[in-house]
Amino acid sequence: QTTLGIRRVRVHAFSRLNFRFTELSKRKLAWFVENGHVTGWDDARFPTIRGVLRRGVDISALRTFICSQGASRRVVNMEWNKFWAENKRHIDARAKRFMAIDKVNNIELTINNAPDGLNFVSTDFVPKDSSIGKRLVCISKKIILEAIDTEGIVVGESIVLMRWGVVKITKVEGGLEGDFLPDGDFKNAKRKISWMANVPEQLSTTLFEFDNLISKEKLEEDDNFKDFINPNTMGATEVIADFGLKSLQKDDIIQLERRGYYRVDQPYVSKDKGLVLFMIPDGKSKAMSGLAGKLAHR
């Protein structure tokens, strides 16, 4: 190279980046596809580019994470939560906020002094950035809460209905009732609760969560990966969601308050072909609130 006067070639050796509870061999991943353990190479549980993008990874977050690892010769087993935490940094500022309540495990609350009929209040899509826009939240005398949020609630207790205001509980036995307090003290209320107006026309939505395909943290050379296949890698939850979700498009990323971040895998088309959202891990080992999902939060 010196004699010929051409640019000197530099060879850099670096190791492969491994992840815990993950198989990266293309031959072994093909086995999962061929045997029906996943829906294809773009399955949200797969450690492929198409797979993580379908799970809800932002391209810029993926680039930032890979560049931050450098070109090390040392073989490392990276934790997925570091990858997802980087992704959260990129999507949090632009993810519009909505609410959704479990379709089965919910409790009705009657607000005695709420206005009759259906009314609406305006709130920011993103509380910290009003420039992203506003949405209308439907309010009514009867609303539904997550059943888990009402456990241990007592008469006289004040609760915060997110994006609406403070309600003082006046009755527990025989049905939950309360009074809306226009000047209620948010700081003194211990519970900050997501809710939905209990109206005849409701937007049914399916939330999907995913877990790792491999149940062992690190596979050794003599391990047969087929002996460590996780039998429970996908969970689905039916929820009643904010009607604003009807306008979402495929690949939009949102946050369901107190539940987590989600990517739109299938936009709403009709009652028979409803909205499908894929949960995006946020890098934390625990859920954002008491609303824990059906699978490990990772």
Side-chain angles (χ1 to χ4, degrees), residues 99-106 144 146 196 202-209 235-242 245 256 259 262 266 268 270-277 293-294:
M99 287 188 280
I101 301 297
D102 193 290
K103 195 172 185 178
V104 177
N105 299 314
N106 62 67
I144 52 175
E146 296 282 355
M196 292 293 301
Q202 297 175 332
L203 179 63
S204 294
T205 301
T206 305
L207 310 180
F208 280 97
E209 307 165 57
T237 302
E238 294 291 329
V239 297
I240 298 170
D242 192 313
L245 296 171
L256 293 181
R259 282 187 175 273
Y262 291 83
Q266 175 184 289
Y268 179 86
S270 64
K271 289 184 177 180
D272 297 326
K273 195 173 182 181
L275 181 67
V276 175
L277 303 178
K294 296 183 176 180

Side-chain angles (χ1 to χ4, degrees), residues 76-256:
V76 294
N77 284 308
M78 183 66 65
E79 293 183 8
W80 278 105
N81 60 10
K82 295 181 180 179
F83 176 72
W84 293 117
E86 178 63 37
N87 187 61
K88 178 190 173 183
R89 282 201 320 110
H90 287 253
I91 66 175
D92 180 68
R94 60 181 172 85
K96 294 180 178 179
R97 272 58 166 177
F98 296 92
M99 287 188 280
I101 301 297
D102 193 290
K103 195 172 185 178
V104 177
N105 299 314
N106 62 67
I107 299 292
E108 185 178 77
L109 167 64
T110 300
I111 303 176
N112 299 313
N113 60 340
D116 293 324
L118 299 181
N119 294 272
F120 298 88
V121 294
S122 178
T123 183
D124 292 330
F125 272 123
V126 180
K128 295 181 180 179
D129 188 356
S130 59
S131 66
I132 293 179
K134 293 183 177 292
R135 67 184 177 96
L136 293 177
V137 178
C138 179
I139 61 176
S140 65
K141 271 187 174 294
K142 295 185 182 295
I143 65 173
I144 52 175
L145 314 175
E146 296 282 355
I148 192 172
D149 286 337
T150 65
E151 293 178 358
I153 204 166
V154 296
V155 171
E157 181 178 348
S158 292
I159 63 173
V160 174
L161 298 180
M162 298 178 67
R163 313 299 168 216
W164 188 3
V166 179
V167 169
K168 185 176 181 179
I169 302 301
T170 58
K171 181 183 175 184
V172 174
E173 298 297 329
L176 208 58
E177 294 184 10
D179 292 334
F180 181 74
L181 305 178
D183 300 318
D185 189 346
F186 284 76
K187 293 182 179 179
N188 286 337
K190 296 180 180 179
R191 301 173 193 250
K192 193 175 183 181
I193 297 176
S194 48
W195 57 280
M196 292 293 301
N198 195 3
V199 295
E201 289 292 325
Q202 297 175 332
L203 179 63
S204 294
T205 301
T206 305
L207 310 180
F208 280 97
E209 307 165 57
F210 304 97
D211 200 359
N212 300 310
L213 293 170
I214 301 296
S215 60
K216 188 176 181 180
E217 182 175 326
K218 180 183 178 182
L219 294 175
E220 306 297 339
E221 289 187 11
D222 56 347
D223 282 339
N224 184 346
F225 75 97
K226 297 178 185 178
D227 296 332
F228 302 98
I229 295 176
N230 185 354
N232 188 25
T233 60
M234 183 168 64
T237 302
E238 294 291 329
V239 297
I240 298 170
D242 192 313
F243 257 93
L245 296 171
K246 254 188 173 182
S247 62
L248 295 180
Q249 302 299 312
K250 186 179 177 66
D251 294 327
D252 282 349
I253 290 178
I254 64 163
Q255 183 188 81
L256 293 181

Side-chain angles (χ1 to χ4, degrees), residues 47-63:
T48 58
I49 297 296
R50 292 168 62 195
V52 295
L53 289 180
R54 193 176 178 196
R55 188 83 176 265
V57 167
D58 184 88
I59 287 289
S60 61
L62 178 61
R63 184 181 296 110

Side-chain angles (χ1 to χ4, degrees), residues 21-65:
F21 299 100
T22 304
E23 179 57 69
L24 293 175
S25 165
K26 290 189 289 293
R27 175 178 59 83
K28 294 175 181 177
L29 290 177
W31 180 88
F32 281 95
V33 177
E34 293 163 0
N35 288 273
H37 289 279
V38 294
T39 57
W41 289 92
D42 65 344
D43 191 288
R45 293 162 289 183
F46 246 23
T48 58
I49 297 296
R50 292 168 62 195
V52 295
L53 289 180
R54 193 176 178 196
R55 188 83 176 265
V57 167
D58 184 88
I59 287 289
S60 61
L62 178 61
R63 184 181 296 110
T64 300
F65 177 80

